[in-house]
Amino acid sequence: MNAPHIGPELFTWEFATDPYPAYAWLREHSPVHRTTLPSGVEAWLVTRYADAKQALADPRLSKNPVHHSKDAHGKSKTGIPGERSANLMTHLLNIDPPDHTRLRRLVSKAFTPRRVAEFAPRVQELTDHLIDQFAHTGSADLIHEFAFPLPIYAICDLLGVPREDQDDFRDWAGMMIRHGGGPRGGVARSVKKMRSYLAELIHRKREALPDHPSSGEDLISGLIRASDHGEHLTENEAAAMCFVLLFAGFETTINLIGNGTYALLRNPKQRAQLQKSIERGEQELLDTCIEELLRYDGPVELATWRYATERLEIGGQRIASGDPVLVVLAAADRDPARFDEPDTLDLSRRDNQHLGYGHGIHYCLGAPLARLEGRTALATLLRRLPDLRLAADPAELRWRGGLIMRGLRNLPVEFTAA
C-alpha cells in the first residue's frame, strides 16, 4: 500500500534546490513521516533533533540490510549504489555489533588522529596546487576544478593509491556522484572497476608489506597490519573498508567545500569576519565556522539507511519491524527546539552539537580528515582569492539529486586574476 501524500512535495528538483521549508513543515506537522522515495521504497523520515539523536543511537535500528522487510528487489534499491553487485557490503555502514565493533576497532588503529595530523602538509600542498591551476584566469567552477579533485587526490594519497592510478579513481568517483546523470549502469560498472582495483592493490601491498611500519605508512598497509587479538581484516573486508572510506570520504568533503563556500558568498558579513580572522592568523573562528557550515547546509542530508529489527516508537510514531528509517540530518540541524535562529548562518555559534557527522557508534570515522580538508580549503581560498564572488544567479545553480548527500553540481566564481 502506497504511503498517502500529505504536506509538501519531496525529492523534486525544486525541493533539491531548497529543502529547508519542506523540512520545517515536516518538523511541525509530521515529524516522523512515512513517504515513498523516488526508488519506490517506502521509508520513515525522522526530522526533529531529539528524535534524530535518539534514532541514530538506537540499537533496535540496524544498519544491516538483511533486516529490511521487503524482497530482494526492494533491498537492491537501498544502500550505496553498486555495492551489492560488487560484493562490497561488509563495511561499517552495513553492519551491527559485534562485527561493527571489531571492524571499527581494527580500522581505528589505521585511521588515527595522529595520522590525520601528519597528513596536513599534503592537504595544503594539494590545495595550493589546485588553486594554482586557475588563479591566473580570474574565473573557475569551484566544484569541478577544486572541491571535487581535492578530496579524491587526498584520500588516494592517504590510502596509498599510486599517483599514476589516481586519475582512474577520479573518473570512477565522478561517475559515482552523478546519481543517475551518467550512462545507464555506469555507477555499477565504476564500483566494480574500483573494487577490482582495490582487491589487486591490497593483495600487492600485503605481499610486499615490511615487517615493521615506516613513518607515514599508507592507510591500506595500516589496515592490513591492524589486528584485534590476532584477527586481521580479510582481503574482502579490507576492500569494502577502502571502498566506503572513498565513498564516504570524498563526496562529503566535496559538499562541505562547495556548500560552505556558497554559504559564505551568500553571507558577505559573516565571510568578511572570517577573512579578517584568517588574515590575523587566528584559528578559533575558522574552527567554529566549519561546525556551523556542517550544521547550516551540511554535506549529508540524510543519514545512511537503518532498519527496524522490532516494533518500536520514534517521536510517538509506531514503526513496524523491517521498515526502513532515514534520519534527516538537514532537518534536525535546523530544529528551532535545539538551535537559536537555526536558519541564520552564525560562524561564531558556540552551542553547536550538530548531527552532521552522525551520532553514536556509527559516528563518522573520517570526520577529522574532512574537517582538516574543509578548514584548509576555505582558509586558502579566502586568503589567496580575497575578492571571490559568485558568477551566476543563485536560481541558476543546480544541486545533485541524490538521496543521502546534498551538494552543488557547479559553483561558478570570479575573482581578480593573480
Side-chain angles (χ1 to χ4, degrees), residues 6-287:
I6 58 168
E9 286 282 345
L10 305 177
F11 311 117
T12 64
W13 285 112
E14 293 78 13
F15 171 82
T17 299
D18 183 10
Y20 296 104
Y23 287 148
W25 189 96
L26 290 179
R27 279 195 311 265
E28 179 71 21
H29 301 285
S30 184
V32 182
H33 182 74
R34 179 86 163 178
T35 191
T36 301
L37 304 173
S39 64
V41 173
E42 291 188 22
W44 294 96
L45 303 181
V46 180
T47 59
R48 288 180 179 169
Y49 182 91
D51 296 336
K53 192 169 183 180
Q54 172 206 325
L56 290 171
D58 193 328
R60 298 171 299 172
L61 290 175
S62 169
K63 298 291 290 173
N64 193 333
V66 74
H67 294 291
H68 188 187
S69 61
K70 300 302 180 185
D71 58 23
H73 177 67
K75 290 178 183 179
S76 70
K77 296 179 179 180
T78 65
I80 299 173
E83 65 176 358
R84 188 180 298 270
S85 60
N87 193 25
L88 285 168
M89 296 289 289
T90 312
H91 58 68
L92 291 175
L93 298 184
N94 283 341
I95 56 176
D96 304 315
D99 289 335
H100 177 272
T101 308
R102 179 182 69 86
L103 279 183
R104 186 166 180 120
R105 190 159 53 222
L106 282 167
V107 175
S108 297
K109 293 179 181 181
F111 208 85
T112 61
R114 178 181 175 184
R115 186 186 292 270
V116 172
E118 289 173 346
F119 197 56
R122 177 58 181 156
V123 174
Q124 185 65 63
E125 180 186 351
L126 282 168
T127 301
D128 281 317
H129 172 73
L130 290 169
I131 294 176
D132 287 343
Q133 305 304 301
F134 58 78
H136 63 285
T137 67
S139 65
D141 180 344
L142 280 187
I143 301 299
H144 293 281
E145 298 177 64
F146 185 62
F148 173 70
L150 175 59
I152 287 291
Y153 292 136
I155 197 70
C156 281
D157 277 357
L158 194 66
L159 285 170
V161 176
R163 299 280 169 88
E164 62 268 20
D165 296 339
Q166 292 187 5
D167 284 338
D168 286 337
F169 263 82
R170 180 172 176 167
D171 291 343
W172 298 331
M175 181 60 69
M176 287 171 64
I177 69 167
R178 289 182 190 175
H179 299 309
R184 185 176 180 86
V187 173
R189 285 194 298 273
S190 292
V191 171
K192 285 182 178 179
K193 288 177 182 177
M194 190 179 287
R195 194 254 183 272
S196 297
Y197 176 85
L198 285 170
E200 181 186 343
L201 182 62
I202 290 165
H203 181 73
R204 291 205 314 264
K205 286 183 179 292
R206 191 187 295 275
E207 292 290 308
L209 194 68
D211 291 337
H212 301 287
S214 60
S215 176
E217 183 176 69
D218 64 74
L219 190 57
I220 289 179
S221 296
L223 287 173
I224 295 168
R225 196 182 297 280
S227 64
D228 188 26
H229 305 296
E231 185 176 6
H232 292 261
L233 286 168
T234 66
E235 289 200 359
N236 193 57
E237 287 173 338
M241 194 57 58
C242 292
F243 168 72
V244 81
L245 288 172
L246 278 160
F247 175 82
F250 76 84
E251 191 169 2
T252 52
T253 309
I254 295 168
N255 295 349
L256 172 57
I257 296 169
N259 298 6
T261 303
Y262 180 61
L264 292 174
L265 294 177
R266 298 292 306 278
N267 291 269
K269 289 184 179 180
Q270 292 285 302
R271 177 256 189 96
Q273 290 177 11
L274 179 61
Q275 276 186 279
K276 290 177 182 176
S277 177
I278 291 169
E279 288 168 7
R280 292 193 294 265
E282 298 168 351
Q283 183 70 27
E284 187 175 2
L285 187 59
L286 183 60
D287 289 341

